[in-house]
Amino acid sequence: MRKQLLATALCLAATATGCGATVEPAEDAKPSSSITLTNCGRQVTYDKVPERVVTNDVGITELMFALGLEDRMAGFAMPDDKGDLRGVPWKDGYDKVKWLSKDQLTKENVLDARADLVFAGWNYGFREDGGFTPDALKKLGIPSYILTESCHNGRTKSSRGIMPPLDALYTDLTNLGRLFGVQKRAAALIADFKKQVADVRAKAPKGSDRPSVFLYDSGQDTPFTSGRYAAPEQIITEAGGVNVMHDVADSWTTVGWESVVQRDPDVIVICDYGDVGAEQKKRFLLSYAPLRDVSAVKHRRIISLDYADLVESPRNPSAIARLGAYLRTVDS
């Protein structure tokens, strides 16, 4: 998404099974007829089980890996720093599947890969300005599946998000399970993810003790952050915090610094990725004069999570666990 750059991302050792390290053998119950799924509010019919899927970006790619679908992939597009994978249970997928581009998908590399499905999202590969859209691919005879976190919601031309972020994750796992005939595997992942989240929720602060949290992605003149339809919204909520931008009916979006100051977050979560790393972002936040009286800055309550933790991905539950542990140390 956005600049589509990643940095270090580690799954908790305790959540390795939940991240998809051990799953039952694939059912391989291949549909004998077409499959119709609801994707971004539209009924989409797929005539066959895809065999040469290409994906864009880390979260989308790892959804396929977590379901054990490497053998159904023809490649992925991703920046050249996908982070330290030692704690990622499905890290072997990166060795098995071809790396098509260190930028993003294009019509050319999709055609070269002989793709029979493109799995991407709006601003996670699909883009109007470059003409790389599901409709454009359809004209080439190539079906698409759109990441649910990224669905356009119709509020504005570019606003995204149609359901709570974890529901989006579970929706995509369920749909992919049906499409590829691995429903039991998808259901097992979802059940395990829900248990991980419930365990964190049970320990989380309640009521007025819940610290307020601002997600800082990037930007100095204006900050790029998460409204209520991007993954950080529910990561923050389930971890025991309150997203100060919950009222923003969008996924990833730009706000003004004045709104951050006014809402006075107790904690700032940095999205760690790109050429400007977490430490540089933290130095900026601590030195930016308009933020000097913000509680998170005054008390230096700033934590970083990886990009791959904060976009829709199978890493979301472990991110909730790590953020939850941090928030339980905060006296709001």
Side-chain angles (χ1 to χ4, degrees), residues 40 80 82 89 109 156 176 180 216 277 315:
C40 291
D80 59 5
K82 56 184 177 291
N109 55 35
T156 68
L176 292 170
F180 290 97
Y216 177 62
R315 301 194 200 189

Side-chain angles (χ1 to χ4, degrees), residues 145-159:
Y145 184 86
I146 301 170
L147 185 76
T148 298
E149 183 192 51
S150 76
C151 297
H152 284 143
N153 59 35
R155 293 178 180 85
T156 68
K157 185 176 180 180
S158 61
S159 293

Side-chain angles (χ1 to χ4, degrees), residues 92-310:
D92 289 347
Y94 287 103
D95 297 323
K96 295 175 181 176
V97 181
K98 186 175 181 180
W99 200 341
L100 300 176
S101 169
K102 295 182 180 180
D103 186 10
Q104 57 187 344
L105 293 178
T106 64
K107 290 179 185 177
E108 290 73 23
N109 55 35
V110 165
L111 288 169
D112 286 347
R114 295 181 289 113
D116 59 5
L117 180 75
V118 173
F119 180 14
W122 291 109
N123 286 20
Y124 294 90
F126 292 135
R127 52 203 182 275
E128 295 284 0
D129 57 355
F132 190 79
T133 66
D135 285 344
L137 290 170
K138 186 176 181 180
K139 292 177 182 177
L140 298 173
I142 304 172
S144 300
Y145 184 86
I146 301 170
L147 185 76
T148 298
E149 183 192 51
S150 76
C151 297
H152 284 143
N153 59 35
R155 293 178 180 85
T156 68
K157 185 176 180 180
S158 61
S159 293
R160 293 170 295 156
I162 59 173
M163 64 180 69
L166 287 179
D167 288 353
L169 172 65
Y170 303 149
T171 293
D172 288 335
L173 287 170
T174 300
N175 278 344
L176 292 170
R178 286 191 60 210
L179 180 59
F180 290 97
V182 291
Q183 295 97 319
K184 290 182 181 178
R185 184 177 291 178
L189 275 175
I190 292 168
D192 192 65
F193 288 167
K194 287 183 175 180
K195 182 181 184 304
Q196 290 179 51
V197 173
D199 288 346
V200 178
R201 188 189 306 124
K203 303 172 189 173
K206 303 294 189 290
S208 60
D209 291 332
R210 295 168 68 88
S212 58
V213 181
F214 172 64
L215 186 284
Y216 177 62
D217 176 286
S218 57
Q220 296 192 358
D221 294 336
T222 54
F224 199 62
T225 188
S226 164
R228 68 172 173 265
Y229 291 119
E233 159 76 14
Q234 213 163 1
I235 289 171
I236 291 167
T237 301
E238 298 291 5
V242 178
N243 179 12
V244 296
M245 296 300 167
H246 171 78
D247 60 313
V248 179
D250 202 348
S251 59
W252 296 91
T253 190
T254 299
V255 297
W257 283 118
E258 64 277 4
S259 64
V260 180
V261 173
Q262 184 179 45
R263 297 169 195 214
D264 190 21
D266 297 307
V267 173
I268 295 175
V269 175
I270 290 173
C271 182
D272 187 7
Y273 76 105
D275 296 331
V276 181
E279 283 304 313
Q280 290 173 274
K281 292 177 182 180
K282 183 176 180 178
R283 286 196 296 271
F284 165 72
L285 294 169
L286 292 174
S287 64
Y288 188 50
L291 297 179
R292 63 179 175 271
D293 293 325
V294 168
S295 180
V297 172
K298 283 197 301 184
H299 299 287
R300 304 177 78 89
R301 292 190 293 238
I302 300 174
I303 181 176
S304 65
L305 292 174
D306 190 78
Y307 170 95
D309 297 321
L310 293 168

